[in-house]
Amino acid sequence: PGTGTRCVVHGDDFTFLGRDADLRRMSTRMAEWHEVKVRALLGPEAGDDKESTILNRTVRWKTNEIEYEADRKHAVKIWESVGLKADSRGLDGPIVKEELGGEHDEGDDELGEQEMTRFRGLAATANFLAQDRPDIQYAAKEICRDMSRPTAASLMKLKRLSRFLVKYPRLVWRFGAVDEEDVNYVDAWTDSDWAGCLGTPKSTGGGAVG
C-alpha cells in the first residue's frame, strides 16, 4: 500500500501496476518463495517491453497510448464451428433485432441433442469473447438467452454473429494519455429498449463509462 502498487490475480497469473523499482522489488520478493516467470515489464523507457499477453489478451505500450486486444482465437473457433473460413463472406452487423414475422416465428424447431450441446458451447464462447468486445455484447446476450432451448432460429443468430466475426476478427481498445485535470471526471451513458424482446418480453439495458 505504501508504494501504490496495484495487483490483479487470476489463478497463478499476477499482473502488477506500479513504478519500475517497485515492480522489480515485488518480483524479487515473490521469487523467494515461488518459482516465478516474469513475462514482460511494459513501460515507456527504451529498455522496457512494448508488447505482452495477459490471459491471452494482447497489450501493447505505444508512444501516447496503450492498446488492448481481445483474444482472436475465440472468434476463429466460433466461425470455424459453423463451417466458415477466414475468406468467407462477412456481414457488417452481428445481429438483427427480431420483429413479428421474422426469425423468432419461423425457426421454432428445436435442435437435436448434439446440435444443442454444440450450440451451448459456442454461445458460452461468444459470451466470454463479449467481455472484451462490446460490439458483440448484445448479440452474445441474445444468443445465450436461447441456451435452455436452442432452436433453428437460435442457430441462425449464431451464424450471423459468425459472419460478423469473419469480417471483423479483431477489436483493439486504445487508451490514450489524458491531462491530469481530466482524471477527476467520469462520463457515463445508459439506455434501455423497454420490453424489446418479443419472446419474453424483457428489456435490454446497457451502459458505457469513459
Side-chain angles (χ1 to χ4, degrees):
T3 66
T5 303
R6 300 180 183 183
C7 176
V8 175
V9 183
H10 184 277
D12 59 357
D13 290 303
F14 291 72
T15 304
F16 290 96
L17 173 66
R19 296 179 178 86
D20 184 80
D22 296 325
L23 296 178
R24 296 184 185 281
R25 187 181 303 113
M26 178 63 68
S27 175
T28 301
R29 290 294 304 276
M30 291 185 67
E32 293 177 358
W33 64 87
H34 291 296
E35 183 177 343
V36 176
K37 179 180 179 181
V38 178
R39 298 180 62 89
L41 189 63
L42 300 178
E45 303 298 331
D48 294 334
D49 296 304
K50 304 304 178 186
E51 181 175 323
S52 184
T53 57
I54 300 175
L55 300 177
N56 293 326
R57 283 85 164 178
T58 301
V59 180
R60 303 180 188 92
W61 192 291
K62 301 289 188 174
T63 303
N64 292 313
E65 64 184 11
I66 295 175
E67 290 184 353
Y68 176 95
E69 182 173 347
D71 187 357
R72 183 177 179 272
K73 76 170 182 289
H74 299 300
V76 176
K77 175 184 177 181
I78 293 171
W79 80 55
E80 287 184 345
S81 295
V82 298
L84 300 179
K85 299 180 181 179
D87 58 353
S88 297
R89 180 177 62 89
L91 294 174
D92 283 321
I95 193 169
V96 174
K97 190 171 183 179
E98 294 179 351
E99 297 179 355
L100 292 175
E103 294 177 2
H104 181 78
D105 301 307
E106 298 175 355
D108 285 338
D109 294 336
E110 290 191 19
L111 301 178
E113 287 297 324
Q114 288 187 342
E115 286 185 306
M116 282 188 177
T117 299
R118 184 170 68 96
F119 173 87
R120 288 168 179 148
L122 294 174
T125 300
N127 190 43
F128 183 83
L129 179 61
Q131 295 178 97
D132 300 320
R133 293 199 52 164
D135 56 336
I136 68 167
Q137 284 180 355
Y138 179 78
K141 183 267 297 181
E142 288 295 300
I143 291 170
C144 287
R145 272 184 170 173
D146 297 342
M147 288 183 74
S148 63
R149 182 181 169 269
T151 63
S154 308
L155 192 56
M156 290 173 66
K157 294 178 189 176
L158 183 62
K159 288 181 177 179
R160 183 178 182 90
L161 172 62
S162 300
R163 290 197 178 275
F164 176 80
L165 293 173
V166 164
K167 188 166 185 178
Y168 302 102
R170 301 175 61 218
L171 185 141
V172 179
W173 295 73
R174 291 186 171 91
F175 299 91
V178 297
D179 295 330
E180 291 186 6
E181 61 186 30
D182 293 332
V183 298
N184 294 323
Y185 295 90
V186 175
D187 291 322
W189 300 266
T190 62
D191 197 8
S192 176
D193 66 355
W194 300 108
C197 178
L198 298 179
T200 46
K202 294 182 178 179
S203 301
T204 295
V209 178

